[in-house]
Structure formats: structure tokens, C-alpha cells
């Protein structure tokens, strides 16, 4: 299908109407908190699973909020006379936010979803009809240039981005403008790009309806719209990272072979970042026969950048193909057509010797260090979002450890990070535990195994004594040579600092 099958969009040049619409939505409590209170947690959660029946049942009344939920979230026509009591209906009709449906009803032309910012802001995400509620299920029935609303990937990226005040931020592949909206809250200037002009229009609507400053919106792929001498303090991208044969859907399929789009994006970022600047990406990457995935990802990191790469999930090629075939609605197509598409995906993977696909995030930080740090790890376990402060702290620890050799570590003072607990595993009645594990209850929620010396060391770190003096005391207590203990323990201290269990005092 072509873009002609998509509905016309509201005008982006009517700030007066947009401001009046925003005021009306807020006045009716059409917010994230308002929705949760009206619908209840089960119906609210069902919307993210493409199930609207519980929300429809919860909005049978005639209050302004119920009316707006049916109109903008559930895409149901509502009586013109009733909505005129809630919205500036004539202005919304004239500017394209609403359209007439029959003689006495109106319908929304776009999805409008209430969205809560990280600091409690009441924002609104605009997207194409049917794409905000329930994500991308069945999107293959729509036009190629369809623009989606908020999804799990969007909120993941927003949550892990470092949120410090910056002068200039860049959102590559802005889509409905979610990342640009977040960036506008702490960046003086925001630039947003997208290959899809419809996405840029919708991003402008998202920013305006949310009461955010306008962004510099530019059409083009990746860094193409950005001048060679333009640099940024923050770059974010939720790119079309799906590894697929062809480029059927603009929002997800990059059109390059394999994981080349994500690789190119990461590799080209180094020269665009200012010193100390951060770049955050979601990405998919291939697991190729005979190749370590961490080696593949390390080769993507541009010179002059520290990197933290976290693989959150791995799917074999059949699982991966089925996931994205369902995303496009192909599972509802003719069985022979579905089988042919499935074969096409597996043929592509077989030709590239791909056995699985990884998903995760990549964070870069521009550094002047002679030897940049590149950490690539797998962490499929639950984390605590938002994670931006944890990400920033990771790179602070990288700087600290880079500046402190083992001798300096022994002279340093440390404190145990907040909400770290110790777990011991062993046979009942045994004198010593078989395993001692330190576990975080915040941030990455890591768990790491330590020996009795490491556990004892961490337990007494309160900032008052140097690491060396603590080790000397432990050596005297357990009857061990203090020199030998000082020689073998810095590696364990370094690991505990690197993973955030210990903090420099």
C-alpha cells in the first residue's frame, strides 16, 4: 500500500488550536494518571496487548474523560454535540484533528495517547490511527510509511538515556517524536531526523500538543541531514533495527543487509559527539556461526569512545522471524503467503550464516582517554527503570578505575552502595557457606559471587578506613599473610567498583 491510504494529518501550523486542545485534554484529566484511575490497572494493561474490550467496557458513561478515551484512544466516533462541550470542536475540525463521521458524530484523525514524562510531565504522543494503542500488531495492513506511537522499545530507550542538561541533542529516526520530547526537557536545542516526512509532521504535533519547544526537524536517513561540522552533547536513536529481507515497513526495516544499519549508525557517531557527550542506541545484531557476538559489537565502537554494550535478549532465527511476521500481521494472511515469507526470512539468515539475533542497547561516551573502555556483557535479568543515572555512574566508575592502579586502590576509601544485600548458600549446619553472593536491589540489580574475604571487605566499607588497612585487619583476623592478601585482592575490589557494589568515598 502507498502512503495515500493513510489519513490526512492535522495542521502543524495552528499553534492556537493545538494550545486550546491541550488545555481541554488536561482539563478533562486526559492524562496517564487519569487513564489509570478511570480504566483500572487490568484494562489499562490490556491496551498494551492490543485488547480494547476492557477499556470500552470501562468507558460506557458520558463523562468528558470517557468521551475523550473513546475518541482518541479507542478510535470510536462520538456525538458532535457532546464533544462540543469538551473540546473546541469546530477549530479541531477545521485544523484536521477531527473529522465528521455521519451526520451527527465526529472521529479522530490521529491517535493521541497521554504519556507521563520521567519527572511527572503530562505529555501527549501523536501517531497514526490504530498504532498507539496495542503497538504494531497487524501493521502490515497499513501503508508502508505508517508512524507508530509509544512502545516498549521507546520507553526502554527513554529510561536508559542520561538526563543531564546539554546544549544540543540529536534524535535520529524520531518517529512520533518521543525521544525528541524527552530531550527537549533538558536540551537547549533539539534536532530530530527521519527518512519519513510523515513522521516529522507527527513529531511536530507531539511536541506542540505536549507544550514542548519546537525541534529542528530534518528529512533524511541517519546522519545524512546533519552537516559535517555539527556535533552534539547527546545523541539518541531507536532506529529501524529489525534484521529482515527487504524494507517493507519504514518504521522497523532499515533496508540494509543484516545488521549493517545498526553498525553504520554506531560507527558514524564518534565524530558527531562532543567531548563527554553520550549516545544511546537500541539495536539488533547477528550471532554468526564461528564468531563471538562480543567481538562483532566491539568492532562497531568508533575510536575515541568508551562503550557499554548490554545484550538483553537472544532469539534463534525461527523465533525472531515469527516475532516480526506477527508484528506485520502476516500470520493472519493466506497460509501459503505466510509460509513463503517465513522461508524468505530463513533463506536470508542461512545465506549469512546467522544462527540467532541479539537485542540490547549500546551507549557511547566521547572520551579523551588514551585507552577507551569497551564493556560488552549479557544481562537478561530484570532491571530498574529509569536507568539513566545508573548509566552515567557506570562511566564515572570507568574514569575512576582508569585513573587508579592497584596501589592507588589500596590507598582509597570506599563505601558499600545502597540496598546491597548478602546471600549465603550452603548445606544446613555447614561451618562455611559454599557461595557468598552480593546482590543489588537498584539499577542493574546485579548479583556477583565473592569469597569470604571479598564479602568481609565489602561489609566494613564505610569510608573511614583505606582499602589496604581493611585488608590488613582481615589478614590478622583469618591468619593470612597481609602482603599476599594485598597482592591478590585488588582485582576483586576493582570488579566490585566496576559493577557498582562499592563506591569511592
Amino acid at each position: 500500500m502507498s502512503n495515500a491510504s493513510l489519513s490526512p494529518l492535522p495542521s502543524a501550523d495552528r499553534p492556537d488550536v493545538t494550545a486550546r486542545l491541550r488545555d481541554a485534554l488536561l482539563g478533562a484529566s486526559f492524562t496517564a494518571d487519569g487513564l489509570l484511575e478511570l480504566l483500572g490497572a487490568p484494562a489499562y494493561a490490556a491496551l498494551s496487548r492490543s485488547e480494547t474490550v476492557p477499556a470500552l467496557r470501562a468507558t460506557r458513561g458520558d463523562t468528558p474523560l470517557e468521551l475523550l478515551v473513546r475518541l482518541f484512544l479507542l478510535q470510536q466516533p462520538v456525538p458532535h454535540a457532546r464533544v462540543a462541550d469538551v473540546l473546541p470542536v469546530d477549530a479541531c475540525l477545521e485544523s484536521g484533528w477531527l473529522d465528521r463521521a455521519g451526520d451527527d458524530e465526529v472521529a479522530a484523525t490521529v491517535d493521541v495517547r497521554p504519556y507521563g514524562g520521567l519527572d511527572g510531565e503530562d505529555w501527549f504522543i501523536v501517531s497514526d490511527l490504530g498504532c498507539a494503542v496495542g503497538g504494531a500488531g497487524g501493521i502490515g495492513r497499513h501503508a508502508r510509511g505508517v508512524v507508530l506511537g509509544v512502545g516498549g522499545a521507546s520507553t526502554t530507550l527513554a529510561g536508559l538515556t542520561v538526563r543531564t542538561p546539554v546544549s544540543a541533542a540529536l534524535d535520529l529516526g524520531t518517529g512520533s517524536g518521543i525521544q525528541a520530547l524527552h530531550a527537549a526537557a533538558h536540551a537547549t536545542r533539539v534536532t530530530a531526523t527521519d527518512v519519513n516526512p510523515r513522521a516529522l509532521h507527527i513529531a511536530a504535533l507531539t511536541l506542540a500538543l505536549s507544550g514542548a519547544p519546537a525541534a529542528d526537524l530534518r528529512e533524511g536517513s541517519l546522519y545524512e541531514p546533519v552537516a559535517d561540522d555539527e556535533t552534539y552533547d547527546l545523541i539518541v536513536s531507536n532506529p529501524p533495527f529489525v534484521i529482515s529481507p527487504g524494507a517493507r515497513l519504514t518504521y522497523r526495516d532499515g533496508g540494509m543487509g543484516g545488521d549493517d544499519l545498526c553498525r553504520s549508525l554506531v560507527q558514524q557517531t564518534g565524530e558527531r559527539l562532543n567531548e563527554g557527550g553520550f549516545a544511546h542506541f537500541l539495536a539488533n545484531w547477528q550471532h554468526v556461526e564461528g564468531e563471538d557476538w562480543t567481538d562483532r559489537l566491539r568492532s562497531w565502537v568508533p575510536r575515541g569512545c568508551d562503550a557499554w554494550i548490554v545484550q538483553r535478549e537472544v532469539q534463534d532465527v525461527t523465533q525472531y522471524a515469527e516475532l516480526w511476521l506477527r508484528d506485520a500481521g502476516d500470520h493472519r494472511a493466506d497460509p501459503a503467503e505466510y509460509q513463503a515469507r517465513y522461508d524468505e526470512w530463513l533463506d536470508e539468515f542461512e545465506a549469512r550464516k546467522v544462527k540467532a539475533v541479539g537485542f540490547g542497547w549500546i551507549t557511547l561516551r566521547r572520551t579523551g582517554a588514551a585507552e577507551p573502555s569497551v564493556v560488552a556483557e549479557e544481562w537478561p535479568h530484570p532491571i530498574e527503570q529509569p536507568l539513566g543515572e545508573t548509566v552515567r555512574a557506570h562511566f564515572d566508575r570507568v574514569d575512576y578505575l582508569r585513573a587508579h592502579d592497584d596501589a592507588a586502590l589500596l590507598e582509597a576509601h570506599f563505601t558499600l552502595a545502597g540496598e546491597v544485600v548478602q546471600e549465603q548458600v550452603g548445606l544446613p549446619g555447614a561451618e562455611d557457606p559454599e557461595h557468598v553472593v552480593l546482590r543489588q536491589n537498584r539499577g542493574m540489580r546485579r548479583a556477583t559471587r565473592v569469597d569470604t574475604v571479598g564479602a568481609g571487605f565489602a561489609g566494613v566499607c564505610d569510608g573511614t578506613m583505606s582499602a589496604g588497612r581493611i585488608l590488613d585487619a582481615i589478614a590478622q583476623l583469618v591468619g593470612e599473610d597481609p602482603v599476599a592478601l594485598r597482592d591478590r585482592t585488588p582485582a576483586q575490589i576493582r570488579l566490585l567498583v566496576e559493577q557498582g557494589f562499592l563506591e569511592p568515598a
Side-chain angles (χ1 to χ4, degrees):
M1 299 174 70
S2 70
N3 280 347
S5 64
L6 291 168
S7 63
L9 294 174
S11 171
D13 300 320
R14 292 294 305 272
D16 56 328
V17 177
T18 305
R20 291 172 62 193
L21 175 58
R22 171 177 169 77
D23 289 343
L25 296 178
L26 293 175
S29 297
F30 188 64
T31 63
D33 289 342
L35 285 185
L36 183 59
E37 184 176 349
L38 170 68
L39 301 179
Y44 191 73
L47 289 176
S48 66
R49 302 192 301 270
S50 305
E51 297 294 345
T52 58
V53 172
L56 286 167
R57 291 173 62 86
T59 56
R60 291 169 170 170
D62 198 35
T63 66
L65 181 54
E66 288 170 302
L67 189 80
L68 293 177
V69 171
R70 292 201 302 274
L71 179 65
F72 285 118
L73 268 187
L74 304 178
Q75 287 98 56
Q76 301 292 310
V78 297
H80 179 285
R82 185 67 189 93
V83 80
D85 295 333
V86 182
L87 299 177
V89 64
D90 291 337
C92 287
L93 284 165
E94 179 192 357
S95 59
W97 287 97
L98 300 177
D99 199 4
R100 296 192 179 276
D103 294 333
D104 57 357
E105 290 185 317
V106 296
T109 58
V110 287
D111 273 330
V112 176
R113 174 174 175 174
Y115 179 73
L118 298 177
D119 293 321
E121 301 94 340
D122 286 321
W123 290 335
F124 300 97
I125 307 300
V126 181
S127 63
D128 272 313
L129 288 172
C131 300
V133 177
I139 210 69
R141 303 189 308 274
H142 299 282
R144 182 175 181 270
V146 71
V147 180
L148 268 63
V150 180
S154 303
T155 55
T156 294
L157 180 60
L160 66 88
T161 299
V162 174
R163 300 294 175 190
T164 54
V166 296
S167 296
L170 173 64
D171 176 16
L172 290 172
T174 190
S176 56
I178 301 163
Q179 308 307 324
L181 180 58
H182 277 283
H186 63 103
T188 303
R189 176 172 57 88
V190 176
T191 302
T193 72
D194 205 290
V195 70
N196 183 1
R198 187 176 182 87
L200 297 176
H201 189 131
I202 285 180
L205 296 174
T206 289
L207 291 166
L209 192 59
S210 297
D216 179 3
L217 301 172
R218 305 181 189 180
E219 183 179 346
S221 177
L222 303 181
Y223 286 108
E224 288 177 2
V226 179
D228 291 341
D229 60 350
E230 287 185 273
T231 57
Y232 299 87
D233 308 299
L234 173 67
I235 297 175
V236 293
S237 184
N238 177 16
F241 52 67
V242 176
I243 300 171
S244 60
R248 292 173 59 202
L249 299 171
T250 303
Y251 76 89
R252 72 169 202 190
D253 302 321
M256 296 186 186
D259 52 18
D260 282 354
L261 184 138
C262 290
R263 175 186 57 79
S264 298
L265 176 59
V266 174
Q267 288 180 336
Q268 294 173 22
T269 295
E271 60 192 25
R272 305 291 186 176
L273 274 179
N274 293 325
E275 185 75 18
F278 285 93
H280 304 273
F281 308 105
L282 300 185
N284 278 184
W285 44 79
Q286 298 173 150
H287 284 231
V288 180
E289 292 180 15
E291 176 185 78
D292 189 309
W293 74 268
T294 62
D295 291 338
R296 184 179 192 86
L297 271 292
R298 287 174 184 274
S299 72
W300 292 7
V301 178
R303 294 181 61 184
C305 287
D306 292 324
W308 186 17
I309 302 163
V310 180
Q311 180 167 270
R312 296 286 290 154
E313 184 179 1
V314 181
Q315 292 184 320
D316 67 51
V317 292
T318 58
Q319 292 174 308
Y320 188 80
E322 290 162 13
L323 169 67
W324 294 108
L325 288 168
R326 287 195 303 272
D327 172 85
D330 291 325
H331 60 304
R332 302 189 185 104
D334 174 79
E337 182 180 346
Y338 175 77
Q339 181 176 341
R341 289 197 185 278
Y342 201 151
D343 270 331
E344 186 181 11
W345 282 68
L346 297 186
D347 286 345
E348 178 82 3
F349 288 130
E350 185 176 337
R352 294 179 178 276
K353 298 183 178 180
V354 176
K355 58 183 181 179
V357 177
F359 170 81
W361 67 68
I362 300 171
T363 299
L364 305 178
R365 185 190 60 168
R366 188 75 183 180
T367 179
E371 295 185 16
S373 165
V374 178
V375 175
E377 61 175 321
E378 186 165 15
W379 189 252
H381 311 293
I383 60 172
E384 179 190 43
Q385 283 276 36
L387 205 65
E389 182 58 26
T390 299
V391 173
R392 185 199 59 76
H394 166 87
F395 288 94
D396 286 348
R397 294 193 299 270
V398 165
D399 287 340
Y400 179 87
L401 292 172
R402 196 155 41 199
H404 289 73
D405 59 16
D406 288 354
L409 281 183
L410 293 176
E411 294 297 321
H413 295 237
F414 299 96
T415 59
L416 186 66
E419 298 194 39
V420 172
V421 297
Q422 177 177 307
E423 300 173 356
Q424 297 184 177
V425 180
L427 293 173
E431 184 174 344
D432 295 315
E434 295 177 19
H435 305 296
V436 179
V437 174
L438 299 182
R439 186 179 301 277
Q440 301 168 349
N441 287 318
R442 302 298 303 272
M444 291 291 288
R445 294 177 173 165
R446 294 186 184 278
T448 190
R449 184 174 173 181
V450 294
D451 59 20
T452 53
V453 170
F457 178 87
V460 297
C461 278
D462 60 4
T464 60
M465 296 175 60
S466 70
R469 288 185 60 195
I470 293 175
L471 291 178
D472 292 343
I474 292 175
Q476 184 176 8
L477 184 65
V478 301
E480 188 169 339
D481 179 6
V483 175
L485 193 60
R486 278 175 171 257
D487 284 344
R488 69 178 176 84
T489 308
Q492 190 167 191
I493 297 174
R494 191 170 292 275
L495 177 65
L496 291 175
V497 173
E498 178 184 319
Q499 295 191 344
F501 290 94
L502 295 178
E503 297 174 347

